[in-house]
Every structure is written in structure tokens, then in C-alpha cells.
Amino acid sequence: MESAALKEAVTAYIEAYNRFEVDGMLVPLHDEVVFRNIANGEVNLTTTGKEAFRRQAEQAAPYFSEREQRVTNWQLAGNEVEVAIDYRAVAAVELPNGLKPGDPLHLQGKSVFRFVDGKIISIEDIS
């Protein structure tokens, strides 16, 4: 797969995420996609398969009234895309980390996307 196509798939995923469009997030994903969220060096969430990803994305959407992943750097190598992310969100509900509705959240991190057969087979969100 060409670099431009990989970048286009990641961009489509991130734009759908920013718009809270779960169906759009699923379009570039492989049926067997594995998603991992890693915070402070520990995996705190893993999903396997497109349906498990959908359920998690639908459950997480109401946590924020606004959210934006902004790519600040791209690195492409083979079938892997790594993006540096500037993440901003506003809590919509009280969260376990102490955030209350209306509180802002700002994180720096990266996401690593791996591709198989032109689809995203794994996503690792690392913060």
C-alpha cells in the first residue's frame, strides 16, 4: 500500500473520531482490528475485532462534549504509520480521574497504526 493511501486512511479515522462518528471510524478498520490504549506504560484497554471496537467507541463517546486529536508529526515506514498527537477534550461527565463536566483535558501522545490488506489491523494509543 502506498504511503499516501496509509496516511489517507489514518486521516479518515482521526477526522471521524473528532466528529464522534463511530461508523466513520470503522471504515478503514480490518475486521480483526486490535486496539490498545497505553497510559504511563501500562495497557489499560484492549479490544479485539471490529464489533468490540464499535462497542467501546460508542461507550466512550458520551464522556466528552468536545474532543480533538491533532496530528503534529507523521512517520511512515512499511505498513506502519506513527503519528504524534496533541489531544484536547472537554469532559461531559464526571470521570474516574477526577475530571468534572466542563473540565478541559490536554494530553500529548502518539498513535501507531499497522496495516494488513489495506486496512488498519492494529491501533495503539500511547500517552
Side-chain angles (χ1 to χ4, degrees):
M1 206 169 160
E2 288 192 29
S3 294
L6 299 178
K7 197 170 176 180
E8 190 175 299
V10 170
T11 298
Y13 169 85
I14 290 172
E15 287 177 352
Y17 174 90
N18 289 345
R19 291 189 308 264
F20 294 87
E21 291 178 3
V22 174
D23 287 341
M25 292 169 65
L26 296 173
V27 171
L29 302 186
H30 190 282
D31 286 343
E32 302 302 318
V33 66
V34 174
F35 172 81
R36 285 184 196 85
N37 192 76
I38 303 165
N40 301 317
E42 291 187 24
V43 177
N44 60 18
L45 174 68
T46 302
T47 65
T48 303
K50 219 173 187 179
E51 280 311 305
F53 182 94
R54 173 195 293 279
R55 284 192 302 276
Q56 173 56 33
E58 288 172 346
Q59 287 170 0
Y63 296 168
F64 300 101
S65 59
E66 301 172 31
R67 65 184 185 188
E68 179 189 23
Q69 290 188 31
R70 191 170 56 84
V71 176
T72 58
N73 188 43
W74 292 86
Q75 292 184 12
L76 288 79
N79 283 335
E80 185 173 297
V81 177
E82 181 176 309
V83 291
I85 297 285
D86 183 28
Y87 182 79
R88 295 177 188 277
V90 176
V93 298
E94 196 164 318
L95 297 171
N97 65 3
L99 286 179
K100 304 224 178 318
D103 285 352
L105 174 64
H106 184 223
L107 299 171
Q108 303 279 325
K110 68 179 179 179
S111 294
V112 180
F113 298 85
R114 290 180 187 86
F115 287 79
V116 167
D117 300 328
K119 294 284 190 175
I120 298 169
I121 189 71
S122 76
I123 304 169
E124 289 187 347
D125 284 349
I126 304 161
S127 62

